[in-house]
């Protein structure tokens, strides 16, 4: 990683260049209830760089992307890509809740997730920066193999299979 004047050089997708601004020009929304995994997001930023912008109000208050902001600061980045939008406080609070909650409502196709995890794990950089670890993949695949409803052929009684990272259950 390149360091300039004790600051890490941010890795920001060139397509976001016109949105880059000083990280100090942004501030977290004081009512954000979400607590993210800063270390996992920092690892993702290190591997992939920033490929989607933080969303902030015109005054720089973050509405979505708080933990990207925190991870960038943790990495010593002095700038991030952020898009600013005009939104009143009522709409901003509601959007903050929606952004934090809606992805939690989704589920995974266990077979597709297992195949994708195994494929990405075979890459030179493996699962680095994805939030998954090799032991998560092994446990997930073992659970699928033990579940006769998954096509794994483990035999025995059907059981719940749970993704170790997202908590999605398949019965």
């Amino acid at each position: 990683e390149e360091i300039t004047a004790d600051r890490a050089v941010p890795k920001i997708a060139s397509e976001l260049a016109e949105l880059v601004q000083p990280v100090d020009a942004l501030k977290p929304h004081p009512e954000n209830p979400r607590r993210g995994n800063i270390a996992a997001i920092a690892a993702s930023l290190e591997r992939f760089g920033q490929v989607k912008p933080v969303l902030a109000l015109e005054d720089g208050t973050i509405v979505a992307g708080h933990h990207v902001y925190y991870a960038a600061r943790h990495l010593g980045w002095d700038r991030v890509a952020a898009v600013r939008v005009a939104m009143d406080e009522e709409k901003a609070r509601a959007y903050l809740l929606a952004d934090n909650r809606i992805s939690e409502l989704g589920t995974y196709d266990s077979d597709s997730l297992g195949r994708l995890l195994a494929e990405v794990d075979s890459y030179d950089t493996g699962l680095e920066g994805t939030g998954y670890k090799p032991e998560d993949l092994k446990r997930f695949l073992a659970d699928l193999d033990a579940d006769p409803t998954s096509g794994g052929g483990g035999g025995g009684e059907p059981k719940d299979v749970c993704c170790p990272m997202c908590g999605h259950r398949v019965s």
Side-chain angles (χ1 to χ4, degrees):
E1 183 168 67
E2 300 175 60
I3 305 291
T4 305
D6 296 324
R7 304 287 281 185
V9 175
K11 297 178 186 176
I12 301 172
S14 60
E15 295 83 356
L16 300 179
E18 65 187 38
L19 301 175
V20 173
Q21 54 196 275
V23 72
D24 292 336
L26 301 172
K27 61 185 178 228
H29 194 289
E31 297 175 297
N32 182 35
R34 186 77 170 178
R35 301 297 174 255
N37 186 325
I38 305 302
I41 296 168
S44 179
L45 287 175
E46 286 181 312
R47 179 173 179 183
F48 306 110
Q50 185 185 7
V51 295
K52 70 178 183 178
V54 169
L55 176 66
L57 301 175
E58 292 174 313
D59 71 356
T61 302
I62 299 169
V63 179
H66 286 82
H67 299 96
V68 170
Y69 163 86
Y70 291 130
R73 290 183 69 95
H74 171 79
L75 292 170
W77 290 13
D78 61 354
R79 56 198 181 277
V80 294
V83 63
R84 297 203 187 204
V85 296
M87 200 181 284
D88 65 32
E89 190 58 34
E90 182 179 304
K91 190 172 182 179
R93 284 181 177 137
Y95 188 85
L96 181 119
L97 288 174
D99 183 65
N100 285 324
R101 177 68 173 140
I102 290 173
S103 68
E104 294 174 358
L105 299 175
T107 61
Y108 286 96
D109 174 301
S110 296
D111 291 334
S112 294
L113 177 60
R115 281 191 302 275
L116 186 58
L117 284 169
E119 182 178 333
V120 171
D121 188 49
S122 73
Y123 300 165
D124 289 342
T125 52
L127 296 170
E128 178 184 322
T130 66
Y132 289 95
K133 298 176 182 167
E135 55 268 24
D136 297 323
L137 171 60
K138 288 177 186 155
R139 187 172 44 250
F140 182 72
L141 293 177
D143 285 348
L144 283 178
D145 191 46
D147 180 5
T149 64
S150 72
E157 292 295 314
K159 66 174 207 156
D160 281 347
V161 178
C162 180
C163 174
M165 297 305 292
C166 71
H168 172 67
R169 289 197 169 279
V170 176
S171 297

